[in-house]
Amino acid sequence: MLKFATRRFGLSLLILFVAVTVMFLMIRAVPGDPVQIMLGPRATPELQAQLTAALGLDQPIWKQLLIFYGNLLQGDLGTDVFSGRAVTDIVFQQLPYTLELIFASILWSATLGIALGAYAAAHPNTLIDRIAAAISVSFVAAPAFVVALLALLVFAVHLQWFPAIGAGDGFLDRLDHLVLPAFAIGLSWVGYIARLVRASMLEVMGESHVRTARAFGIAERRVVMVYALRIAILPVVTVIGVGMGFLLSSAVFAEIVFARPGLGKLVIDSITTRNYPIVMGSVLISTALFVVSTALADLINALLDPRARTSH
């Protein structure tokens, strides 16, 4: 297990390095003069030259990349061009809002999706199975930004059951503000997880250990919950880990529609103003979250199923 974890950690570092390097080069390849966009058309040439030097944009691209990684190894993500604050402070101030939104979405969508998929698999080719399939496909087909807008109009504006904008103050108020954004970005994952669990459950239910358990007269409920679901849930763990990246992108829509603070809104605002240090800091943290979540999913899979350790 230690060897597998070490190998997976090394692969995660390589993925993070490649992803951040590609994003660095893509940001630098965006047309237009970022300094002129930041300062506006009335900025003097001296001020433009000063900011260009401060951002390191007067250096060759390869040297800019080396400087970026050199500072990164020291824990320095740079300084915000406009406020003068450390990028690390700004990013980590917004990070908790995005994390709580993602975890709330995963929690409710995985819980409902696993239950729906397991129940459908326990009653295959029945009316319940068909209804569950229709619900799952409908949820998968619903785009997050459309669900967010409809949820805002129906539940916040028309019915006024939940607050429309902001993140709230205090524990209960923040939970209240989380309901609609978490519902919006988690709805499609309910259907996806339900279909995945159903397919995996049906495959596991036909394996020899499940037939043996039934032959010994073990209650069907225990067979489904203990002998089948424990193995069938393994693909879901992997999908949730990979799904962190998709949830991060979906969180952007939720944070904009519901005017929530978070990494997604921070990135959009920074891209608009060409605030390179904030963009790179946010992208780095987001990529690291995605890489760590996939690595943790693989490790959990390896713990639950020893066969996964030898398949990598």
Side-chain angles (χ1 to χ4, degrees):
M1 182 64 190
L2 181 59
K3 183 179 179 181
F4 172 79
T6 304
R7 189 166 64 245
R8 190 62 184 83
F9 177 73
L11 180 61
S12 299
L13 287 180
L14 178 61
I15 294 173
L16 182 61
F17 171 76
V18 173
V20 172
T21 301
V22 170
M23 287 303 302
F24 183 92
L25 297 176
M26 288 179 63
I27 291 174
R28 293 302 192 275
V30 174
D33 184 1
V35 172
Q36 187 175 9
I37 294 175
M38 291 179 193
L39 297 178
R42 296 185 178 181
T44 62
E46 293 79 10
L47 188 57
Q48 291 183 5
Q50 182 180 353
L51 183 57
T52 300
L55 293 175
L57 297 178
D58 55 342
Q59 303 292 334
I61 189 69
W62 62 268
K63 193 170 184 179
Q64 294 182 40
L65 186 60
L66 288 179
I67 294 173
F68 172 76
Y69 276 114
N71 293 334
L72 179 60
L73 291 175
Q74 302 175 31
D76 181 13
L77 295 179
T79 304
D80 180 21
V81 176
F82 299 105
S83 67
R85 295 174 57 197
V87 171
T88 307
D89 295 340
I90 296 175
V91 171
F92 280 95
Q93 183 182 18
Q94 302 297 319
L95 182 60
Y97 295 103
T98 299
L99 289 180
E100 69 184 17
L101 176 58
I102 290 174
F103 287 141
S105 305
I106 290 176
L107 181 62
W108 89 267
S109 61
T111 301
L112 185 57
I114 290 172
L116 186 63
Y119 195 77
H123 305 82
N125 302 319
T126 62
L127 179 61
I128 294 175
D129 186 24
R130 294 187 179 93
I131 293 175
I135 293 174
S136 300
V137 173
S138 300
F139 286 173
V140 171
F145 67 92
V146 175
V147 177
L149 289 172
L150 290 177
L152 177 68
L153 291 174
V154 175
F155 297 109
V157 177
H158 181 64
L159 298 176
Q160 298 184 358
W161 288 355
F162 300 101
I165 60 175
D169 298 315
F171 179 72
L172 293 179
D173 193 29
R174 291 182 74 161
L175 283 180
D176 199 26
H177 281 78
L178 262 179
V179 173
L180 291 183
F183 169 78
I185 70 175
L187 186 65
S188 62
W189 282 91
V190 174
Y192 189 53
I193 291 174
R195 301 306 296 166
L196 183 62
V197 170
R198 180 189 179 277
S200 183
M201 278 278 290
L202 290 177
E203 182 180 351
V204 173
M205 294 281 276
E207 293 186 359
S208 57
H209 74 282
V210 175
R211 294 197 301 268
T212 302
R214 283 172 170 162
F216 275 96
I218 298 176
E220 183 67 16
R221 180 183 180 86
R222 181 174 175 79
V223 170
V224 171
M225 298 301 296
V226 177
Y227 293 91
L229 185 58
R230 180 171 175 264
I231 297 177
I233 205 174
L234 292 178
V236 178
V237 176
T238 303
V239 165
I240 289 176
V242 176
M244 279 288 291
F246 295 98
L247 287 171
L248 280 169
S249 62
S250 299
V252 175
F253 297 114
E255 289 168 0
I256 292 175
V257 171
F258 295 100
R260 283 181 57 88
L263 278 184
K265 190 172 186 303
L266 180 64
V267 170
I268 295 299
D269 294 341
S270 302
I271 290 175
T272 304
T273 58
R274 297 291 184 88
N275 196 336
Y276 280 176
I278 295 291
V279 174
M280 281 308 305
S282 303
V283 168
L284 175 65
I285 298 301
S286 301
T287 307
L289 284 175
F290 173 68
V291 171
V292 169
S293 65
T294 54
L296 285 177
D298 286 344
L299 291 176
I300 293 173
N301 262 337
L303 286 173
L304 296 177
D305 186 2
R307 295 173 298 179
R309 304 173 199 172
T310 60
S311 61
H312 289 76

